Amino acid sequence: MTAKSPRLMLPGLREVYEAFVRAAGELPALPGALQAEVWTSSQLGALEAAAPHAEGRRAALGDLITSMSAAGTPGAYAFLRALEAIGPDEARRTAGRAADGVRNLAAEPSWLSALGRVTPSQVWLIQEGPLDGDRLVCEFRYEDGGLHALAVRLTHGEVPSEIVIVGDVPALMTAARQAMQAELCVVQPYDAELVGTRLRSALQDGGDLPEDCYPALALARHRASLLPGGVSQPRPTASPGGSA
């Protein structure tokens, strides 16, 4: 942290926020937008998993933005831009304004403008057995063509039991088709709007999710919001003077 000591809503967590700021130092060195989004989502997941309730999560998130802004490091700046792109709706605009205040063009990673700028592609339903629920696989592409997928397993009652971001989509689908040929599962195209509705409903409230679900939760919510019927759109390119 710098010499600045920002005012916080939860000052007892100051050391926690400082740890987040230090960890953000590794963010600019990541190789691409997907890795940066996954990293940021993991940090947000840790914050949400530790929060006792939604009000506490919002307060901690606001403090984290304030702490990153006060730090003004390249990593803090990259984190604020990633939060602006894929974070909770109520935090994106605030994170963008905070990033504008510490912007350093010389320190901007090459992938910064790609954050959050993806479009939905093919959607698949994978059913492995009557007790395993549905695995929904949603493919997305960056503007440069880079492909990845969100894979969410919903148990009966539409409760997430697994949330994974898949970087190697061809390998995933090859394995799924091989399992289908061995009659271990069923793989079929699925309606993107229906999937979007199911995922947005299931992911809206973190609730008591399995611990392993939290790291990808923020990014999963963002991607689900881009499926047909959602309200979010890919983040527009930032203008020379700041955030879009």
Side-chain angles (χ1 to χ4, degrees):
M1 295 287 285
T2 68
K4 297 179 182 179
S5 183
R7 296 184 62 180
L8 303 173
M9 290 180 283
L10 302 173
L13 296 180
R14 188 178 301 274
E15 291 186 359
V16 174
Y17 305 137
E18 291 175 352
F20 274 91
V21 170
R22 289 192 298 270
E26 66 189 67
L27 186 53
L30 294 178
L34 179 60
Q35 291 82 0
E37 291 172 342
V38 168
W39 189 95
T40 301
S41 182
S42 179
Q43 305 306 304
L44 295 174
L47 201 67
E48 181 166 350
H53 43 65
E55 182 179 350
R57 178 183 66 85
R58 287 191 292 269
L61 188 55
D63 280 350
L64 184 58
I65 293 173
T66 298
S67 299
M68 292 286 177
S69 177
T73 62
Y77 172 69
F79 181 89
L80 289 169
R81 286 297 185 215
L83 182 55
E84 177 190 22
I86 62 112
D89 288 340
E90 67 270 19
R92 290 182 191 176
R93 187 177 298 274
T94 302
R97 288 197 299 265
D100 290 344
V102 298
R103 192 177 196 197
N104 182 348
L105 291 173
E108 291 193 357
S110 60
W111 41 257
L112 204 68
S113 63
L115 291 171
R117 294 178 57 81
V118 301
T119 54
S121 183
Q122 183 67 56
V123 175
W124 303 92
L125 170 64
I126 301 177
Q127 295 176 307
E128 297 168 335
L131 301 180
D132 294 322
D134 292 346
R135 193 178 194 198
L136 307 175
V137 178
C138 311
E139 299 178 8
F140 295 87
R141 289 188 183 275
Y142 288 96
E143 291 186 341
D144 66 1
L147 178 66
H148 63 283
L150 165 65
V152 179
R153 189 186 303 277
L154 298 180
T155 62
H156 297 288
E158 297 291 272
V159 177
S161 63
E162 180 184 66
I163 305 174
V164 179
I165 304 299
V166 181
D168 192 343
V169 179
L172 169 68
M173 297 310 300
T174 295
R177 292 186 179 99
Q178 290 174 344
M180 182 173 65
Q181 291 173 357
E183 299 184 351
L184 298 176
C185 71
V186 175
V187 180
Q188 61 187 17
Y190 205 39
D191 180 80
E193 185 168 359
L194 177 57
V195 170
T197 299
R198 293 180 67 183
L199 288 181
R200 286 187 292 271
S201 176
L203 300 172
Q204 182 176 6
D205 181 10
D208 295 322
L209 294 178
E211 184 177 349
D212 290 346
C213 286
Y214 281 98
L217 182 58
L219 187 52
R221 286 170 174 156
H222 173 263
R223 294 306 195 254
S225 74
L226 299 177
L227 292 169
V231 297
S232 293
Q233 297 296 325
R235 184 173 67 100
T237 303
S239 64
S243 63

